[in-house]
């Protein structure tokens, strides 16, 4: 996958800012980003954070046959892997031009500078020597991979311990760390690479370029130097012409930066040595409770908590005293309740009103049904003739009350006669 190119507006903005001696992250022209060095649980594992650029270096060793032309020297092997996890522009399983360039520069910086005593890696002359392998993995790419890789590689080599060996005749015995303490490598000096980027055909110079600044730069100058101000390697790329004064100026700046980084590496190694000697947590186990595993974790903001009690008391004193009168409850709309000291709970008022309305409707329906039953019962009493229909085959008896509108007046008259006879009988008794 190809990297997304910068737009013309972004390119012009970056170049204009560089002309005004301003950088995107607020640094000055010769400032490095924040460098952070941590170690893994095993010896030879190192993590380096250069701003948002994160690199891991792992050192391993094994016994192999030496080279024919150098039978008394050990072998140094360097490998840089650019994984797609670091940047979408990197492809897996395929060496790009950038990876080959970084590999060659790292070999010139560490192997050709003779910073490690390779003769001390010989076990049996012409038969067995130690092969030291340094694997550098890019975890996140935000510019200046070479400087981060060189710091991680030399720090991992200083931190590494190889197993102890003994020779009895033709037999070679390799001891485990539990049997004998591992032996550190013999390192003469620590070469560190410092990168300089040039803009506008060498008119402007920046130290430690970030990823966006690398896209718009015209040329790059990498100087590998140790704290003794000895140049181990120098490489220029980009096709720009540099003057002798520019190269000398860059070498002076690099000597200052290398001395600062070397001191930082020494302090990190000393702190790790003390932590392992005491038996405290180190490496991955140390990063678990502090949540320092992620590469782009933001720093926590410090909050002053010393005068919290005094500030709270001042706020309470300045506040107005609460009123002693309790206001009467106000219900603006049905279904809204007020709950508190001295207030009446009005929750569920709407439900109570609905229940009352339902009860009223039920009472009205019951009253109508009762009136209809009374009217029907009065009609039954007023009717004189009753027709009974029975079936011998069935036990049920059906009684019908037919409506006889023609016989209504006659029935009414007979009932009036019966009432008159009843009243006459009562008078006779009296």
């Amino acid at each position: 996958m190809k990297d997304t190119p910068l737009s013309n507006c972004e390119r012009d903005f970056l170049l204009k800012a560089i002309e005004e001696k301003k950088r995107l992250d607020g640094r000055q022209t010769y400032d490095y980003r924040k460098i952070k060095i941590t170690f893994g649980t095993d010896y030879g594992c190192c993590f380096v954070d250069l701003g948002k650029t994160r690199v891991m270096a792992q050192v391993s060793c094994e016994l192999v046959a030496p080279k024919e032309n150098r039978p008394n020297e050990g072998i140094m092997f360097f490998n840089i892997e650019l994984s797609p996890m670091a940047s979408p522009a990197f492809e897996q399983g395929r060496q790009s031009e950038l990876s080959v360039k970084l590999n060659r520069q790292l070999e010139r910086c560490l192997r050709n500078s003779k910073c490690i005593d390779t003769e001390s890696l010989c076990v049996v002359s012409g038969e067995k020597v130690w092969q030291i392998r340094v694997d550098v993995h890019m975890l996140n790419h935000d510019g200046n991979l070479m400087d981060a890789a060189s710091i991680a590689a030399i720090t991992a080599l200083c931190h590494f311990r190889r197993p102890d060996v003994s020779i009895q005749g033709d037999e070679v015995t390799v001891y485990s760390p539990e049997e004998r303490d591992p032996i550190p490598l013999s390192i003469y000096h620590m070469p560190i690479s410092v990168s300089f980027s040039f803009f506008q055909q060498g008119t402007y110079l920046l130290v430690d370029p970030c990823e966006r600044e690398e896209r718009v730069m015209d040329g790059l100058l990498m100087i590998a130097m140790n704290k003794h101000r000895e140049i181990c390697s120098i490489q220029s790329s980009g096709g720009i012409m540099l003057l002798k004064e520019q190269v000398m100026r860059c070498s002076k700046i690099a000597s200052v930066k290398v001395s600062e980084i070397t001191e930082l590496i020494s302090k990190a190694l000393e702190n790790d040595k003390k932590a392992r000697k005491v038996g405290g947590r180190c490496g991955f186990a140390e990063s678990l409770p502090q949540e320092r595993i992620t590469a782009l974790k933001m720093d926590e903001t410090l909050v002053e908590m010393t005068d919290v009690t005094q500030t709270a008391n001042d706020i309470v004193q300045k506040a107005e005293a609460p009123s002693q009168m309790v206001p009467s409850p106000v219900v603006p709309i049905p279904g809204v309740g007020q709950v508190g000291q001295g207030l009446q709970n009005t929750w569920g008022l709407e439900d109570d009103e609905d229940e009352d309305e339902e009860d009223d409707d039920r009472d009205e329906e019951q009253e109508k049904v009762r009136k209809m039953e009374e009217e029907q019962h009065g009609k039954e009493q007023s009717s004189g003739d009753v027709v009974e229909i029975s079936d011998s085959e069935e036990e049920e008896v059906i009684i019908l009350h037919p409506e006889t509108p023609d016989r209504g007046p006659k029935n009414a008259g007979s009932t009036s006669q019966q009432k008159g006879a009843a009243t006459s009988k009562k008078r006779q008794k009296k």
Side-chain angles (χ1 to χ4, degrees):
M1 178 180 177
K2 292 185 178 181
D3 201 359
T4 305
L6 286 177
S7 63
N8 293 331
C9 294
E10 291 176 310
R11 184 179 296 273
D12 295 339
F13 175 79
L14 288 169
L15 294 176
K16 188 67 176 177
I18 293 170
E19 290 177 4
E20 297 177 0
K21 296 183 179 181
K22 297 179 181 179
R23 304 181 74 169
L24 296 179
D25 47 9
R27 290 182 291 157
Q28 297 298 324
T29 306
Y30 302 142
D31 288 349
Y32 252 89
R33 288 171 290 180
K34 183 180 178 181
I35 301 176
K36 182 180 177 182
I37 301 174
T38 55
F39 299 97
T41 307
D42 298 333
Y43 285 108
C45 182
C46 176
F47 295 88
V48 173
D49 295 339
L50 182 59
K52 292 184 179 180
T53 300
R54 186 173 175 85
V55 177
M56 184 195 75
Q58 178 67 55
V59 181
S60 58
C61 65
E62 62 175 342
L63 287 173
V64 296
K67 295 181 180 179
E68 294 181 359
N69 56 348
R70 297 180 182 272
N72 299 327
E73 294 183 5
I75 301 173
M76 296 291 299
F77 181 77
F78 298 93
N79 177 43
I80 294 182
E81 184 175 350
L82 305 179
S83 64
M85 179 176 62
S87 174
F90 300 153
E91 296 182 5
Q92 188 175 10
R94 180 180 177 183
Q95 272 199 342
S96 61
E97 184 180 354
L98 178 61
S99 63
V100 174
K101 175 184 173 182
L102 293 175
N103 257 316
R104 291 177 179 175
Q105 180 65 16
L106 190 63
E107 287 179 357
R108 291 196 195 102
C109 178
L110 297 178
R111 183 200 293 169
N112 299 346
S113 64
K114 304 292 182 181
C115 65
I116 297 176
D117 183 13
T118 55
E119 291 184 359
S120 64
L121 301 176
C122 178
V123 179
V124 179
S125 178
E127 294 183 6
K128 289 185 179 181
V129 295
W130 286 108
Q131 180 185 7
I132 305 299
R133 179 187 177 95
V134 182
D135 292 294
V136 181
H137 298 270
M138 303 298 173
L139 303 181
N140 192 55
H141 173 38
D142 191 39
N144 202 5
L145 292 176
M146 186 60 218
D147 291 9
S150 66
I151 296 172
I154 192 63
T155 308
L157 287 171
C158 295
H159 188 253
F160 178 68
R161 303 288 188 274
R162 66 172 178 84
D164 192 9
V165 296
S166 65
I167 303 172
Q168 293 180 355
D170 296 337
E171 185 177 351
V172 179
T173 305
V174 181
Y175 296 97
S176 62
E178 290 78 11
E179 296 174 347
R180 289 188 183 181
D181 292 337
I183 300 174
L185 301 178
S186 179
I187 298 177
Y188 296 134
H189 57 90
M190 290 190 291
I192 296 171
S193 175
V194 180
S195 299
F196 301 89
S197 57
F198 294 92
F199 304 87
Q200 303 291 345
Q201 296 298 320
T203 308
Y204 301 100
L205 168 68
L206 292 181
V207 178
D208 182 25
C210 65
E211 191 261 343
R212 289 183 178 271
E213 291 171 348
E214 286 183 349
R215 293 191 185 186
V216 299
M217 68 182 180
D218 296 332
L220 182 68
L221 178 66
M222 291 184 286
I223 300 177
M225 185 182 293
N226 57 20
K227 66 178 181 179
H228 306 295
R229 304 186 68 176
E230 298 173 348
I231 295 179
C232 302
S233 69
I234 184 169
Q235 181 178 355
S236 176
S237 60
I240 61 171
M241 300 296 293
L242 296 177
L243 301 176
K244 181 180 68 174
E245 291 78 10
Q246 290 177 318
V247 177
M248 293 301 295
R249 181 183 177 188
C250 293
S251 64
K252 291 179 181 179
I253 298 171
S255 63
V256 177
K257 300 300 179 183
V258 166
S259 60
E260 295 176 356
I261 296 172
T262 303
E263 186 179 356
L264 179 63
I265 293 173
S266 301
K267 288 183 179 180
L269 291 170
E270 186 179 355
N271 294 336
D272 182 76
K273 185 178 180 181
K274 290 180 180 179
R276 292 177 186 273
K277 188 175 181 180
V278 174
R281 292 185 173 183
C282 57
F284 186 76
E286 181 189 7
S287 62
L288 280 177
Q290 300 181 7
E291 297 180 356
R292 291 194 287 104
I293 301 175
T294 56
L296 307 180
K297 180 181 178 294
M298 301 297 293
D299 296 332
E300 296 181 356
T301 304
L302 299 179
V303 181
E304 186 66 30
M305 301 292 289
T306 55
D307 56 346
V308 173
T309 305
Q310 184 178 358
T311 306
N313 294 332
D314 296 342
I315 294 173
V316 172
Q317 291 176 2
K318 294 179 181 179
E320 297 179 358
S323 60
Q324 300 296 331
M325 299 297 293
V326 179
S328 60
V330 178
V331 183
I333 56 175
V336 177
Q338 295 182 353
V339 180
Q341 185 178 3
L343 300 178
Q344 184 181 1
N345 187 1
T346 57
W347 291 105
L349 289 178
E350 188 175 359
D351 298 339
D352 296 340
E353 293 178 358
D354 294 341
E355 292 178 359
D356 295 340
E357 292 178 359
E358 291 178 359
D359 295 340
D360 295 341
D361 295 339
R362 291 175 184 173
D363 295 339
E364 291 178 359
E365 292 179 358
Q366 291 178 0
E367 185 69 21
K368 291 180 181 179
V369 172
R370 188 172 58 79
K371 288 181 179 180
M372 291 175 64
E373 290 179 353
E374 289 179 356
E375 292 176 358
Q376 187 176 2
H377 184 64
K379 291 179 180 180
E380 290 177 357
Q381 289 182 355
S382 61
S383 60
D385 299 334
V386 177
V387 180
E388 294 184 1
I389 299 176
S390 63
D391 192 354
S392 59
E393 295 179 359
E394 296 181 1
E395 296 180 357
E396 295 181 358
V397 178
I398 300 174
I399 300 175
L400 300 177
H401 301 280
E403 296 181 358
T404 53
D406 298 337
R407 297 175 61 182
K410 295 181 180 180
N411 291 337
S414 61
T415 53
S416 60
Q417 291 176 1
Q418 290 177 0
K419 289 181 180 179
T423 52
S424 61
K425 288 180 180 180
K426 288 181 180 179
R427 290 177 182 175
Q428 289 176 4
K429 286 180 180 179
K430 291 180 179 180

